[in-house]
Amino acid sequence: MAIDTQWATEVLEHFLGLAELYRPPDPPGMTIIGPSLSNRGTQADITSEAAVVEQILDRTLPGWRQNVEHEPKVNRWYQHLEASRRALAVIRRQPEIDAALGDDAPRLSASSLHPWVWDGARSLWQSGHFREAVGAAARKLNAETQNKLGRQDISETDLFNQAFNTEAPKPGTPRLRLMKDEDSKTFSSVHRGARALAEACYAGIRNPISHLEGELPEALALEQLATFSVLARWVDGAEVLTI
């Protein structure tokens, strides 16, 4: 889990203390019938902390807004309370979970992907729409590549095929160069590989998810985002050749 677990734990515990539900005593001479639960902290303090807590929950419990029960009639912060308790349990027991359910292999954090990819996918990903998030990342990468080359007349596979073509640039057809052209096999291989990766991204990933129904498993969607991230880093770091 690529977060500061000590910090996250302290924030969640503080929030749980503020948002804790309790039944206040009845006013003198009155008896209130039915549920009447209040939070320990002020609404201003809870609202302020919730802005940070929600970001922790997005990282530790993706889709919590859809998957955790929301009971506004009980209390405005009921869903946040329940989600925070779950997140805290996950954070505290993550080493135990890792030991029991899998090896200690490195983990890929979506936020470490190239900004073009993660910025495009972020909002959809955090709401649990993984297939649409991958599609949004593909569109973002395509748009950024068009902007870098100044070409809106072509897109996706055709765009990258022309961009990484090893021929010299032509009027209106700039090229992307990942290394200097020294008439070497490496130069040809690198750019051929870039074209092949782009075709895999758009023909093998982008097009199918645009036409198929059903949600992608989170792990598979993350792998696909990582594939687009590799291509994004190549494009971002490439030199533009024009005439």
Side-chain angles (χ1 to χ4, degrees):
M1 188 177 298
I3 63 173
D4 184 333
T5 56
Q6 180 176 350
W7 170 81
T9 298
E10 291 173 355
V11 172
L12 291 173
E13 287 177 340
H14 180 59
F15 176 79
L16 287 171
L18 289 173
E20 180 186 3
L21 297 175
Y22 78 105
R23 182 186 175 94
D26 295 336
M30 296 180 60
T31 301
I32 298 177
I33 300 175
S36 179
L37 300 177
S38 298
N39 304 109
R40 294 288 183 186
T42 67
Q43 291 302 302
D45 287 342
I46 297 172
T47 300
S48 178
E49 285 296 305
V52 179
V53 166
E54 287 171 354
Q55 296 187 52
I56 298 174
L57 297 178
D58 287 339
R59 293 287 295 278
T60 56
L61 293 176
W64 64 274
R65 290 178 175 85
Q66 292 75 40
N67 300 328
V68 178
E69 188 175 7
H70 184 40
E71 292 289 353
K73 292 183 179 179
V74 175
N75 186 266
R76 173 185 176 185
W77 302 105
Y78 182 91
Q79 186 182 43
H80 285 70
L81 276 165
E82 179 65 20
S84 294
R85 294 188 189 101
R86 296 187 189 186
L88 199 55
V90 170
I91 292 172
R92 285 172 170 167
R93 303 187 66 180
Q94 195 63 51
E96 174 189 347
I97 294 170
D98 292 342
L101 301 181
D103 59 27
D104 194 24
R107 285 172 173 75
L108 176 64
S109 170
S111 62
S112 69
L113 301 176
H114 191 280
W116 292 349
V117 171
W118 182 233
D119 288 351
R122 185 196 307 268
S123 61
L124 288 163
W125 186 275
Q126 291 177 341
S127 61
H129 297 89
F130 304 125
R131 180 174 63 85
E132 294 180 31
V134 175
R139 293 191 295 274
K140 173 73 170 175
L141 173 54
N142 179 79
E144 293 291 351
T145 305
Q146 288 178 319
N147 291 339
K148 181 161 185 168
L149 292 169
R151 299 200 65 178
Q152 275 67 46
D153 56 316
I154 56 174
S155 64
E156 299 193 349
T157 301
D158 191 21
L159 172 68
F160 291 96
N161 274 334
Q162 293 194 37
F164 289 114
N165 191 305
T166 54
E167 294 179 357
K170 302 175 182 178
T173 308
R175 309 295 189 196
L176 291 177
R177 290 293 177 258
L178 299 171
M179 60 180 296
K180 292 183 178 180
D181 184 0
E182 298 177 346
D183 196 27
S184 66
K185 290 184 178 179
T186 301
F187 173 82
S188 298
S189 175
V190 164
H191 291 84
R192 183 175 69 252
R195 294 196 304 273
L197 178 60
E199 182 166 5
C201 284
Y202 285 91
I205 298 177
R206 163 78 168 92
N207 287 345
I209 65 174
S210 299
H211 298 97
L212 297 177
E213 296 182 356
E215 191 54 84
L216 288 177
E218 182 178 359
L220 175 58
L222 183 57
E223 290 174 359
Q224 293 179 348
L225 285 185
T227 305
F228 279 102
S229 182
V230 173
L231 182 59
R233 293 193 189 280
W234 287 354
V235 173
D236 193 19
E239 179 185 359
V240 179
L241 292 188
T242 60
I243 58 171

